[in-house]
Amino acid sequence: MNDASSASAMSDDAELARLDLDDARAEAARLTDLIVDARDAYYGRDEVLVDDATYDGWMQRLEALERLHPEVQGQDSPTLSVGAASGTLFAPVEHAERMLSLDNVFSEDEFRAWAARVQRDVGAGVHYLCELKIDGLALSLRYEHGRLVSAATRGDGRVGEDVTENVRDVAGIPLTLAGSGHPGLVEVRGEVFFTVADFQSLNAYQESMGDRLFANPRNAASGSLRQKREGKNERQLEAMHERLSRLRLTVHGIGAWPNPPVATQSEVYGLLESWGLPVSRYFTVAESVDAAADYIRHYGEHRHDVEHEIDGVVVKVDELALHDELGATSRAPRWAIAYKYPPEQVNTKLLDIVVSVGRTGRATPFAVMEPARVAGSVVRQATLHNQDVVKAKGVLIGDTIVIRKAGDVIPEVLGPVVELRDGSERAFVMPANCPECGSPLAPAKEGDIDLRCPNTRSCPAQVRGRVEHIGSRGALDIEGLGEVSAAALTHPLRPEVPPLVTEAGLFDLRAEDLFPIDVEVRDAETGLVRLDADGEPDARSPFRRQRKAPLEGRAPTASRPDPVFDPDGPFDGDADFILSAAAHELLENLERAKTKELWRFFVALSIRHVGPVAARALAQWFGSIDAIRAASREELAAVEGVGPIIADAIIDWFEVDWHVEIVDRWAAAGAQLATPGHPGPGAAPASGGVLEGVTIVATGTLEGYTREGAQEAIIAAGGKAASSVSKKTDFVAAGPGAGSKLAKAEELGIRIIDAAQFRVLVEQGPAALGEWSGA
């Protein structure tokens, strides 16, 4: 670490050390909220909310805070986890070995400090494998006896999304490995990406087909691989195949592989290449730290000479035996590090600074700029975070400013070019009122930098954001409830009174509520109105389409569900329009969503700090929204993965009357806000159960059960569904994809059962399996 970085870190540590416990908890909650929001957006929705440097700064500050105040670290802290929970766009796949992330360094001093720690821990004789860090989508390929059986995204590092069907269209990924002597099981890890040339060709193809252009290769790769085939017409399937066929893969490691017959990472690459898997042609093995530093410097100067985008270099200890010796933290191996390159910079004109309001009410200034091309894409706007950041950067409206793509992804304003000022520039003034509802902006509590709109119930921006969140894959996963439809339902151009004043009425929506809507499309990141090619607001009627021919009074049928509108009836003036297929699909999907898993409803309520991890834990323990609502702070905080900060947020949320109205109206509309068969808080049945006192871990794919379904079956039978294997575990139910938990069970001598035995166990109890006498 250089002198400036070291001084900054010491200053931050001193500041954090002075915090009392309440302030430390509040700061941990704030950082957790920011990190989880950014992580869920990046991994779950292919959206980037903040630049790498800002995100890394949040993580470093939270790590320092937890080091100085260990009591604030909850079991679901972002410092202990990887990625984000996978959605349900695809079936879940449990990795045989966790897909960890990498820690980052940003200077040669920091890299050398990491290498010094490695050599201190393992002694001399370390070699370093250096390879380019591809800016793509992480992928895990599972081969059994040389045949590809599954391909999965990273997800949360433990469970990813099954993209096997799409991977079969990706060039260069063998479905059967070449050669012989393949292990019974091997997980191969790699990065899926577009070359720069293929990305440009893809965007040209998208434009020719009238489809949207991609902002950068990473989002294009993720969006291409994570798309469903169902419901697509012939043209859409052709476009999908076109995109998938242009993807490439480079493998860069292994996950599960019992006893690999090689001693080094570089030999692993040689073996993988002999099997027909694509490995990087840019990697090298450095004999010393100096040689590794030379490699880093070389590609920092020649990063654009490579056919794909890179954002740094990954350096790994080459000797596999040292990997075990060095070990890993809960989120990253200690035997590898990612060196991040500084981003590119260009100049452009700052036309304006506007303020948008997000789902949580935070008012965020955004720079509106003359379009500028940087790091392969055109940039028009960038977040300025808050008024203090605007002041610290010293920018004036009308300035020529320096911008960069932090991590080659997120636009960031660095500052003004002062010498180019001509006196016409003016200072930005943070508005006193919410730009969407007019409410006075204020900090949520004393000392907060961010200003927020306090009108959480009715502010159109906040309601719009919450409704879009409900439809997201991390919440209720409602197809068709996205950016445009959320805006249409909460802030339309017409009618004057929107169909949804709050999200409470979501499950009460009817066809006649959707028909008359026109809406201005807003940018998902900024909340600002999008402009069309002519510079006019992009306005649409998302739920209706023009009638092509008179329906001649025919009644709707199952095959032709479009309702007939009477010109003299309630939709006077709209007789030439009928309800679109998208509207019918939205209503059908809302109906289906009523029976989604309980934890998804809890995430959908937008309770601060409650993400999928905490929601799952609460749903499994309490079994219903009513039981969670009735629980005390101590009862909530005692649940594994929750803690006092989340407990306080839940209690505060339920003290608001219109929040309670949401729950009540959803329940009245038929939403299933309880897990069927759940015996109540604590997962202990009132009159016993066949699994009373029995602890079970379910891992891998159990035929006939989803992951949540297996846990719910255990709980419904009175047992404890544990997430990790220990000496207190009675049974491990293991199916295909079971990994380290299976190995741990074998090591501890715990009884392992398959899916058929698991069904007998939850239905009839341990005695039906025989040879069990209790813990």
Side-chain angles (χ1 to χ4, degrees):
M1 185 177 292
N2 58 34
D3 291 342
S5 299
S6 179
S8 175
M10 288 189 291
S11 174
D12 286 347
D13 280 5
E15 173 209 341
L16 296 174
R18 288 194 295 269
L19 296 177
D20 62 28
L21 186 55
D22 286 344
D23 288 342
R25 282 189 173 130
E27 178 65 358
R30 184 185 75 85
L31 292 168
T32 296
D33 198 26
L34 293 169
I35 292 166
V36 170
D37 281 351
R39 184 180 286 180
D40 285 349
Y42 185 80
Y43 289 104
R45 303 193 301 273
D46 299 326
E47 296 175 12
V48 188
L49 300 185
V50 296
D51 57 80
D52 280 2
T54 301
Y55 181 87
D56 292 334
W58 291 340
M59 284 293 291
Q60 290 165 1
R61 184 172 174 84
L62 183 58
E63 288 168 350
L65 184 65
E66 292 176 345
R67 184 180 70 251
L68 295 166
H69 302 277
E71 55 271 81
V72 307
Q73 184 182 54
Q75 294 176 338
D76 59 346
S77 170
T79 62
L80 302 177
S81 61
V82 179
S86 62
T88 58
L89 190 63
F90 297 88
V93 173
E94 184 170 355
H95 304 301
E97 290 292 336
R98 288 187 65 204
M99 290 185 73
L100 297 176
S101 185
L102 289 173
D103 288 331
N104 301 318
V105 293
F106 301 92
S107 70
E108 186 171 321
D109 287 347
E110 290 179 345
F111 166 67
R112 289 181 178 276
W114 168 82
R117 288 193 296 271
V118 168
Q119 292 184 335
R120 179 198 64 201
D121 291 343
V122 300
V126 178
H127 297 82
Y128 300 96
L129 184 145
C130 307
E131 59 191 343
L132 302 182
K133 187 175 183 296
I134 302 173
D135 193 17
L137 177 72
L139 188 71
S140 179
L141 303 174
R142 180 187 178 96
Y143 288 91
E144 294 182 1
H145 301 289
R147 295 184 61 221
L148 179 68
V149 295
S150 69
T153 61
R154 182 198 302 276
D156 62 1
R158 178 177 53 85
V159 178
E161 293 177 312
D162 187 347
V163 291
T164 311
E165 186 176 7
N166 288 349
V167 158
R168 296 179 189 277
D169 281 350
V170 177
I173 297 182
L175 304 183
T176 302
L177 297 178
S180 59
H182 309 117
L185 166 66
V186 63
E187 277 185 336
V188 179
R189 304 285 166 71
E191 202 83 7
V192 174
F193 62 93
F194 283 111
T195 66
V196 174
D198 277 337
F199 173 69
Q200 293 168 346
S201 297
L202 172 63
N203 262 351
Y205 176 81
Q206 293 285 107
E207 188 171 21
S208 71
M209 301 294 284
D211 293 333
R212 70 179 180 90
L213 304 185
F214 291 101
N216 55 63
R218 193 267 169 198
N219 278 13
S222 178
S224 298
L225 194 62
R226 299 169 67 241
Q227 51 182 330
K228 296 287 281 184
R229 297 173 184 267
E230 291 81 359
K232 285 185 167 56
N233 58 35
E234 187 175 347
R235 188 193 72 80
Q236 291 169 326
L237 288 171
E238 177 189 346
M240 179 177 176
H241 175 73
E242 175 73 16
R243 288 162 61 179
L244 289 170
S245 66
R246 292 176 182 269
L247 284 171
R248 297 293 181 268
L249 171 77
T250 292
V251 299
H252 53 59
I254 53 175
W257 189 356
N259 304 314
V262 290
T264 64
Q265 181 82 18
S266 50
E267 289 176 303
V268 167
Y269 286 3
L271 186 54
L272 295 178
E273 187 174 25
S274 73
W275 289 347
L277 288 159
V279 300
S280 174
R281 58 189 177 91
Y282 296 103
F283 84 85
T284 189
V285 177
E287 300 286 330
S288 66
V289 176
D290 288 341
D294 288 343
Y295 179 96
I296 292 170
R297 283 195 296 270
H298 172 80
Y299 280 105
E301 297 168 1
H302 297 276
R303 59 194 294 185
H304 295 299
D305 296 345
V306 182
E307 67 270 17
H308 52 73
E309 286 199 349
I310 64 172
D311 58 359
V313 166
V314 176
V315 180
K316 305 173 182 177
V317 171
D318 195 33
E319 291 80 7
L320 296 181
L322 297 183
H323 292 191
D324 291 335
E325 187 171 343
L326 289 164
T329 66
S330 61
R331 62 180 298 273
R334 292 190 175 93
W335 45 265
I337 201 75
Y339 184 105
K340 290 288 195 74
Y341 287 136
E344 293 182 313
Q345 302 177 8
V346 299
N347 289 1
T348 189
K349 198 78 168 178
L350 178 61
L351 302 177
D352 200 359
I353 298 176
V354 297
V355 173
S356 72
V357 174
R359 171 168 66 100
T360 63
R362 183 163 51 219
T364 304
F366 277 85
V368 178
M369 304 168 289
E370 284 186 352
R373 179 168 289 276
V374 54
S377 64
V378 175
V379 172
R380 292 181 173 84
Q381 56 196 22
T383 180
L384 289 167
H385 301 292
N386 56 57
Q387 69 272 28
D388 285 7
V389 170
V390 178
K391 186 181 298 184
K393 290 182 182 292
V395 294
L396 302 177
I397 297 170
D399 267 337
T400 296
I401 57 173
V402 182
I403 64 171
R404 69 177 181 179
K405 281 283 202 76
D408 286 346
V409 176
I410 293 298
E412 179 186 6
V413 175
L414 295 181
V417 183
V418 177
E419 56 269 25
L420 295 181
R421 285 177 175 167
D422 61 13
S424 64
E425 299 80 12
R426 68 186 192 278
F428 165 72
V429 178
M430 189 73 179
N433 299 92
C434 172
E436 298 234 15
C437 72
S439 299
L441 297 174
K445 61 180 184 296
E446 186 177 354
D448 277 3
I449 295 173
D450 292 329
L451 298 180
R452 294 178 184 269
C453 171
N455 183 18
T456 53
R457 182 184 188 278
S458 305
C459 176
Q462 297 184 61
V463 181
R464 180 173 63 243
R466 293 198 302 268
V467 170
E468 184 177 351
H469 167 71
I470 291 169
S472 68
R473 286 185 297 122
L476 285 179
D477 190 25
I478 302 172
E479 187 74 23
L481 188 60
E483 174 190 349
V484 174
S485 55
L489 293 168
T490 61
H491 198 200
L493 293 173
R494 69 164 190 157
E496 185 176 340
V497 177
L500 293 182
V501 178
T502 76
E503 57 268 45
L506 181 64
F507 292 105
D508 296 321
L509 287 173
R510 300 166 299 170
E512 50 264 42
D513 297 321
L514 304 183
F515 182 78
I517 294 175
D518 291 321
V519 66
E520 288 178 330
V521 180
R522 293 173 177 260
D523 184 88
E525 180 183 358
T526 67
L528 304 176
V529 175
R530 286 183 181 171
L531 302 181
D532 61 20
D534 297 324
E536 297 297 323
D538 182 2
R540 304 181 194 176
S541 300
F543 299 127
R544 60 179 183 160
R545 59 186 172 84
Q546 191 166 11
R547 182 180 294 160
K548 299 301 182 184
L551 295 181
E552 299 175 352
R554 290 176 296 172
T557 66
S559 62
R560 186 184 55 74
D562 292 329
V564 178
F565 293 114
D566 179 356
D568 298 321
F571 300 120
D572 189 20
D574 290 318
D576 290 336
F577 293 86
I578 55 178
L579 211 59
S580 67
H584 289 295
E585 289 169 4
L586 175 59
L587 293 172
E588 290 169 0
N589 291 335
L590 284 169
E591 189 63 31
R592 280 195 286 267
K594 292 178 181 179
T595 57
K596 291 288 180 79
E597 299 98 324
L598 174 62
W599 69 267
R600 292 188 172 279
F601 281 99
F602 210 53
V603 173
L605 293 176
S606 287
I607 301 174
R608 195 177 183 196
H609 308 310
V610 176
V613 173
R616 285 178 188 271
L618 290 161
Q620 289 171 9
W621 184 258
F622 290 101
S624 71
I625 295 288
D626 284 345
I628 295 171
R629 178 179 169 184
S632 67
R633 179 183 188 273
E634 291 71 24
E635 290 169 331
L636 293 168
V639 175
E640 183 178 356
V642 179
I645 292 175
I646 294 176
D648 287 340
I650 294 169
I651 289 172
D652 290 345
W653 192 89
F654 276 108
E655 288 177 349
V656 178
D657 55 358
W658 66 269
H659 289 169
V660 176
E661 180 191 4
I662 296 170
V663 175
D664 291 345
R665 286 189 62 182
W666 285 8
Q672 187 173 281
L673 303 184
T675 301
H678 194 288
S687 57
V690 296
L691 293 182
E692 185 174 9
V694 180
T695 299
I696 304 168
V697 173
T699 181
T701 303
L702 296 173
E703 185 177 356
Y705 296 90
T706 63
R707 183 178 183 83
E708 290 78 22
Q711 294 174 333
E712 288 163 4
I714 295 168
I715 293 170
K720 178 181 179 181
S723 59
S724 59
V725 179
S726 70
K727 292 180 180 178
K728 296 181 180 179
T729 306
D730 297 306
F731 294 92
V732 171
S740 57
K741 294 177 185 177
L742 178 59
K744 183 72 171 178
E746 292 171 341
E747 177 187 332
L748 295 176
I750 294 166
R751 184 168 180 183
I752 299 165
I753 58 176
D754 58 21
Q757 292 171 310
F758 175 74
R759 184 175 296 280
V760 171
L761 180 64
V762 297
E763 291 177 354
Q764 302 177 41
L769 296 180
E771 301 179 9
W772 189 81
S773 57

